[in-house]
Amino acid sequence: LITSVRLRRILDSRGNPTVEADVLTESGGFGRAAAPSGASTGEYEAIELPPNEAISAARKHAVPRLVGEVHAGNQREVDGALRAADGTDSFSEIGANSAVAISMAAAKAGADVLGAPLYQHLGGTFRGDNFPIPLGNVVGGGEHAKDATHIQEFLAAPVGAPSVAEAVFANAEVHAKAADILDDRGISAAKGDEGAWAPAVDDAEAFDIMAEAVDAVADDRGFEIKFGLDMAGAELFEDGEYHYGDETKSTDEQIDYVAGLVDDYDLAYVEDPLDEDDYEGFAELTDRVGDKTLICGDDLFVTNVERLQEGIDTDAANSILIKPNQIGTLTDAFDAIELATEHGYDSVISHRSGETEDTTIAHLAVATDAPFIKTGTVQGERTAKLNELIRIAEDAV
Ligand code: PGA
Ligand code: ZN
C-alpha cells in the first residue's frame, strides 16, 4: 500500500517550476518523478495548472484517495484513484502535472517493491526485445526559438543503427556536424528549448544543412541515417492558412508541399504536418505518402484514445506521439499505445520542450516496444533519457 505521497516544486529545463512527486509504500518501495511541460501545446491536451495550485489541489483531493488506499504496483488502481479525485476528463481540478508526476512516481515505487527496473515492471517478461530508435532534434525554431526556422523541428533519424548506443552517438554527431556546417557558412546560432540549433535561416536552407549533416555522419558511421520533421502545423495555421513568415499556403498547397518534401528528402518521419483539427488533410497526406514515411499525430491525437480512434476511423495517420502529460496518467498512455498497436500505428514516445532529469519515458519506450523515442540530442535533461536508454539496452536487449 502507498503510505505517503509528497509533492514539491522543482525547476524544469526552461527555469520554470514544475511538479515533482515522491511515493512511498508500506514495504519500503520508493519512487520519484517529475512532470514535463510543453510550449507548443495542443488545444486538446489535459490541463496543466500552475504548480502551486496543482500541488495544493492534489494534496486535498488525490492524496487522501491514494495513501492507505491503493497499491503502487497496481497502476490502474493508482490512476483510477487520480481520475476519481479529479472528476474531469482533462484533469483541470488537480492538474495533469500533479497527476502525471504521481502516476509515474507510483510506477517507480511499484518497480522498487519488486526490485525490478521500471521497464520490466511496466512491460513484463512478454514485452518485445526491440529497442526504440531515438529521433534527435538537430535544427529548429517555431515556438521553441525566436527568429529561427518556421518548421519547429528537424530530427535526425538513425534508422540503420545497429544499437541504441550507436543511434544515440550518431544523433549527437549529426548535431555537431550541423554546427560545423553553420560555422562554414558564417551563420551563428543559438539553441532552442530542446537544445537544437536555432539559426536565422529559411526552412529551405535548414533542409540543405540537415541533408548534408546526416549524409556526412551516415558515411562516417556506415549505416543509414535519415531525417524527419515536426512541423507543429497547428502553430503555423491561422485564419485558414499556413504561415511561413510573409508567405502563406492553403491546405492543399501545404499537403503538396509536405508530400514534395517527403520525396525530395526521403523523410523518415513527419509529425503534425497539418492543423490539429484537420483529420481530412492528414488523411489525404497519409494516402499520398504514408507508405513511404511515418505521418505522426501529436497535437492531433494528444495521447487520447478517442482522438486516436477518430484518426483510425478516418485513416488520418500511421503513427501517434505519446506524451504521458498530455493525457495525465501512464494508464491512459498505455491504452493509447495499445490501441495504436492494434491498428498498425507506430508509437513514438516523447519528451516535452520543458523537461527535467526524469527518465520515465526511456523505460516506457522499452516497456511498450515502441519503435521510436523523441527525446532530444544533447543537453542534460535530454541526455538523462538517452543515457538511461543505453543502460537499459545493455541490460535488456
Ligand atoms: P512541446 O513541443 O513540448 O513544446 O509541445 C514538442 C512537440 O511539439 O512535439
Ligand atoms: Zn510535436
Side-chain angles (χ1 to χ4, degrees), residues 91-396:
F91 276 113
S92 56
E93 285 299 314
I94 65 168
N97 36 350
S98 275
V100 82
I102 294 170
S103 178
M104 297 192 304
K108 290 184 186 177
D112 193 34
V113 168
L114 298 174
L118 181 60
Y119 71 83
Q120 183 75 15
H121 172 49
L122 292 176
T125 194
F126 293 109
R127 78 190 149 73
D129 59 0
N130 298 312
F131 67 81
I133 295 171
L135 299 171
N137 195 352
V138 171
V139 174
E143 294 295 303
H144 293 168
K146 285 202 181 0
D147 303 322
T149 56
H150 298 296
I151 291 176
Q152 183 177 285
E153 300 167 29
F154 292 77
L155 302 148
V159 292
S163 69
V164 165
E166 289 280 337
V168 167
F169 291 122
N171 282 354
E173 203 178 325
V174 174
H175 189 269
K177 186 73 198 172
D180 291 345
I181 297 168
L182 286 163
D183 210 34
D184 288 347
R185 298 185 184 194
I187 303 164
S188 65
K191 282 183 183 174
D193 287 344
E194 296 179 358
W197 301 112
V201 298
D202 58 22
D203 290 3
E205 183 156 17
F207 277 102
D208 198 50
I209 292 165
M210 274 308 283
E212 191 180 331
V214 297
D215 283 353
V217 177
D219 276 352
D220 186 42
R221 296 258 154 189
F223 55 76
E224 191 175 22
I225 306 175
K226 294 190 175 189
F227 72 101
L229 308 172
D230 181 359
M231 302 191 74
E235 306 292 341
L236 300 171
F237 192 69
E238 217 188 301
D239 299 328
E241 287 184 311
Y242 292 86
H243 293 257
Y244 296 83
D246 296 335
E247 269 178 59
T248 58
K249 294 184 198 301
S250 68
T251 295
D252 285 344
E253 287 167 344
Q254 175 76 357
I255 292 168
D256 284 344
Y257 173 54
V258 179
L261 293 171
V262 169
D263 286 336
D264 290 351
Y265 295 100
D266 191 22
L267 298 178
Y269 177 80
V270 185
E271 180 180 324
D272 284 349
L274 293 146
D275 182 57
E276 61 202 332
D277 290 310
D278 194 1
Y279 282 95
E280 209 180 302
F282 263 86
E284 191 181 329
L285 183 66
T286 300
D287 184 49
R288 278 172 65 171
V289 296
D291 56 339
K292 294 182 252 189
T293 192
L294 287 183
I295 300 294
C296 185
D298 169 16
D299 293 345
L300 181 71
F301 295 141
V302 293
T303 317
N304 179 316
V305 289
E306 282 161 30
R307 292 189 63 87
L308 174 59
Q309 187 62 57
E310 188 169 348
I312 290 163
D313 293 343
T314 54
D315 293 320
N318 55 24
S319 64
I320 177 174
L321 206 70
I322 299 290
K323 292 167 166 170
N325 84 316
Q326 275 182 331
I327 193 71
T329 73
L330 280 179
T331 296
D332 291 297
F334 261 77
D335 288 348
I337 294 166
E338 195 174 302
L339 181 64
T341 306
E342 243 172 66
H343 292 275
Y345 273 51
D346 280 336
S347 295
V348 183
I349 314 297
S350 175
H351 66 169
R352 302 304 306 248
S353 51
E355 267 294 341
T356 69
E357 305 76 35
D358 192 278
T359 61
T360 306
I361 59 167
H363 289 267
L364 179 61
V366 174
T368 59
D369 212 20
F372 294 96
I373 183 169
K374 201 180 133 183
T375 185
T377 307
V378 291
Q379 210 163 268
E381 73 282 3
R382 319 290 154 185
T383 57
K385 284 86 163 157
L386 296 169
N387 290 336
E388 186 76 349
L389 269 182
I390 292 173
R391 296 181 200 108
I392 296 171
E394 190 178 292
D395 196 37

